[in-house]
């Protein structure tokens, strides 16, 4: 009996790509990506006449998008698209498919099975790895309708004529089996899930659908499902002490770890050229250590580790281990016979340490004063020659040997609290536990101080860094790195821990600066307000009391013909109390017999914008200012004065007077 099941889409887990990535990593094919072939829907088994689409993912060369398709290992066809639909699957379409792009290697094979059975068990077409979710579906042909049913007894057809030839079971039960074991009892769901698959879940599966009475049932063909381990990847080898530099007699730790991989992992450690593995162990861990309690000079060399989980082992990058043997107390010898020499002789002093790793630095002293230094890159003595020039060259000579790489760098500060205020001083020091002639470098926030000029830091002097007045920019993480180079090929580094320095601003200065800025802002706002008020007032005056000024030049009549007013100007207080602005006419107040005088009439009116047309219709309340223009000096004799009068000369002097206008 067949029961309809809705087609269910499954999201492809990331594990289906792990084998591709693993293979590329193991073979060093970082530049060649393996193509990946998938099916849509993602089932490995489909019914006949159903549609399925093959999709190929991989890199392409510029201008090339062609995809090559293979069936059963042979070239099948090529397309410009990365998808190839099979619209109505036939039995001949069953087989193993592969694909390839222009810049990728051939994909793994994907099995597609086209079935004519009444009931099939559907499983993902991609590989299932440990930890993946496994979903199985039980699917019936053509909606689960059963037709042309026949009944037999002892091989003989006994189908009654009144029996319905086809019907659909509405309330079906689905059960799933692995080999002969029931993995799920009959239930209404046509789907069976394993949340996290393991190796023990591998095997032959099938499903059974049956009616409620269990008198009618149908079994699917068996399907072989294999759960694989996640391949090992990302194998690394770490060492302690850091940088792989260890002094003889100290402990050495080689840590092997993997980024991915499931199941028990087989670890092994190797030294280049040693042949057999130094150690092997199998654990259900992704990290384990190999310890050498007391390293010897023979332990120096290149190390690597390997890890596997039933696949080919994956190797870690090589790490160089250097074991330094401290020098033994040196022996000093002189070329002088019996330690006696005469002035003018040349004496060779040799210093040799018979045990210790090369290179060795020898220092020669005379009465505690340093004479010189010699570096020997191989086993053997170091020597220095001195010329005896006076009796002061006699005395005790000594030497010392050193060959220890730097180690144990520490950074310290003269402050108990790493939180400083702006303006305080900062003094940092760096020192090492061991090391020959260490050189110190300083780092601020991962940047060396000699290139961090924008911080305004003083240049460090040796193992000391001093800042007289710290600023906010001096805050951050500080680190010193000690190094020594005992030969041109070997440089040893010992970085210190990171020291965090915090710099805070002076709150009183900050408040004073804030108050100053606030005062400036208030003053500026007041000034802007005053200017704005003045502008608004002027605009208001212009709109409410329009003022026009006109200056007209006229020919005045003879001053003798003018009748001067008898009254004078009111006192200043009275003038100041006037509410209206006066109009002024400037005329000559002096009495002259004849002649015209040029004068100006200035009229001031309030009201509309019409320009004043004359000086008539004066208001008695207005004031008039008369001004006599200056004239050349007139001789004192009467004859000259008479001639000047007849010629209508200018007045003799300047006269200014303010009088009310009639």
């Amino acid at each position: 009996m067949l029961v309809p099941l809705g087609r269910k889409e499954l999201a492809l887990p990331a594990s289906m790509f792990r084998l591709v990535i693993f293979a590329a990593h193991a073979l060093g094919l970082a530049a060649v990506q393996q193509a990946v072939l998938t099916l849509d829907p993602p089932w490995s088994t489909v019914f006949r006449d159903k549609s399925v689409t093959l999709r190929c993912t991989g890199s392409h060369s510029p201008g090339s998008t062609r995809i090559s398709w293979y069936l059963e290992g042979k070239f099948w066809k090529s397309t410009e698209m990365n998808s190839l639909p099979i619209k109505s699957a036939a039995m001949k379409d069953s087989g193993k498919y592969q694909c390839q792009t222009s810049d990728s290697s051939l994909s793994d094979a994907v099995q597609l099975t086209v079935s004519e059975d009444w009931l099939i068990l559907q499983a993902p077409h991609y590989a299932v790895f440990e930890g993946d979710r496994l979903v199985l579906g039980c699917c019936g042909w053509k909606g689960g309708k059963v037709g042309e049913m026949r009944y037999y007894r002892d091989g003989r057809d006994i189908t009654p004529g009144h029996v319905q030839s086809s019907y659909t079971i509405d309330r079906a039960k689905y059960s799933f089996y692995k080999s002969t074991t029931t993995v799920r009892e009959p239930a209404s769901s046509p789907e069976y899930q394993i949340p996290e698959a393991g190796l023990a879940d591998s095997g032959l599966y099938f499903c059974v659908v049956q009616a409620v009475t269990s008198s009618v049932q149908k079994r699917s063909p068996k399907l072989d499902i294999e759960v694989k381990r996640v391949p090992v990847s990302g194998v690394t080898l770490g060492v302690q002490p850091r940088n792989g530099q260890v002094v003889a007699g100290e402990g050495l730790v080689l840590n092997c770890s993997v980024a991915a991989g499931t199941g028990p992992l087989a670890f092994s450690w190797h030294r280049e050229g040693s042949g057999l593995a130094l150690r092997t162990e199998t654990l259900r861990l992704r990290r384990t250590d190999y310890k050498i309690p007391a390293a010897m000079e023979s332990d120096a060399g290149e190390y690597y580790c390997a890890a596997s989980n039933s696949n080919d082992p994956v190797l870690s990058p090589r790490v160089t281990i250097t074991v330094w043997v401290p020098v033994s107390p040196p022996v000093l010898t002189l070329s002088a016979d019996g330690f006696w020499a005469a002035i003018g002789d040349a004496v060779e002093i040799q210093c040799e340490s018979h045990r210790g790793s090369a290179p060795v630095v020898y220092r020669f002293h005379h009465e505690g004063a340093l004479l010189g230094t010699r570096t020997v890159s191989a086993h053997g003595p170091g020597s220095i020659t001195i010329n005896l020039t006076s009796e002061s060259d006699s005395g005790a000579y000594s030497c010392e040997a050193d060959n220890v790489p730097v180690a144990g760098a520490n950074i310290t500060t003269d402050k108990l609290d790493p939180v400083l205020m702006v303006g305080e001083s900062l003094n940092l020091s760096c020192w090492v536990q061991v090391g020959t002639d260490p050189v110190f470098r300083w780092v601020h926030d991962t940047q060396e101080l000699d290139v961090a000029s924008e911080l305004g830091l003083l240049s460090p002097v040796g193992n000391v860094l001093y800042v007289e007045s710290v600023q906010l920019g001096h805050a951050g993480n500080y680190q010193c790195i000690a190094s020594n180079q005992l030969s041109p090929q070997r440089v040893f580094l010992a970085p210190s821990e990171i020291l965090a320095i915090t710099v805070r601003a002076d709150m009183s200065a900050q408040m004073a600066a804030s108050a100053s800025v606030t005062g400036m802002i208030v003053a500026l706002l007041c000034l802007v307000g005053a200017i704005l008020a003045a502008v608004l007032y002027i605009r208001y005056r212009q709109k409410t009391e329009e003022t026009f000024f006109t200056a007209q030049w006229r020919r005045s009549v003879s001053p003798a013909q003018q009748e001067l007013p008898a009254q004078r100007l009111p006192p200043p207080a009275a003038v100041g109390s006037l509410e209206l602005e006066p109009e002024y006419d400037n005329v000559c107040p002096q009495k002259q017999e004849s002649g015209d005088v040029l004068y100006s009439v200035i009229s001031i009116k309030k009201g509309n914008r019409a320009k004043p047309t004359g000086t008539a219709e004066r208001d008695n309340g207005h004031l008039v200012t008369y001004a006599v223009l200056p004239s050349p000096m007139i001789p004192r004799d009467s004859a000259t004065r008479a001639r000047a009068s007849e010629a209508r000369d200018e007045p003799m002097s300047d006269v200014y007077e303010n009088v009310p206008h009639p």
Side-chain angles (χ1 to χ4, degrees), residues 5 43 120-124 135-139 176 190-192 207 220:
L5 294 179
W43 304 114
I120 60 174
L121 178 66
Q122 290 185 318
V135 179
L136 303 178
C138 196
C139 187
F176 291 83
E191 193 176 87
Y192 170 61
C207 67
S220 72

Side-chain angles (χ1 to χ4, degrees), residues 412-427:
T412 58
T413 177
D414 60 340
K415 306 293 184 183
L416 296 178
D417 189 356
V419 179
L420 306 178
M421 301 299 294
V422 170
E424 291 189 53
S425 64
L426 175 63
N427 194 343

Side-chain angles (χ1 to χ4, degrees), residues 46-60:
V46 297
F47 284 116
R48 179 171 55 85
D49 297 331
K50 292 293 183 179
S51 297
V52 62
T53 301
L54 286 69
R55 300 187 188 278
C56 188
T57 304
S59 57
H60 294 270

Side-chain angles (χ1 to χ4, degrees), residues 554-559 561-562 586-588 595-599:
R554 299 183 180 181
R555 304 294 296 180
S556 68
V557 297
S558 174
Q561 301 172 357
Q562 297 187 18
N586 295 330
V587 297
C588 181
D596 294 334
V597 177
L598 289 177
Y599 68 94

Side-chain angles (χ1 to χ4, degrees), residues 11-22:
L12 301 182
S15 60
M16 69 172 298
F17 302 105
R18 291 173 182 161
L19 280 177
V20 177
I21 298 173
F22 164 72

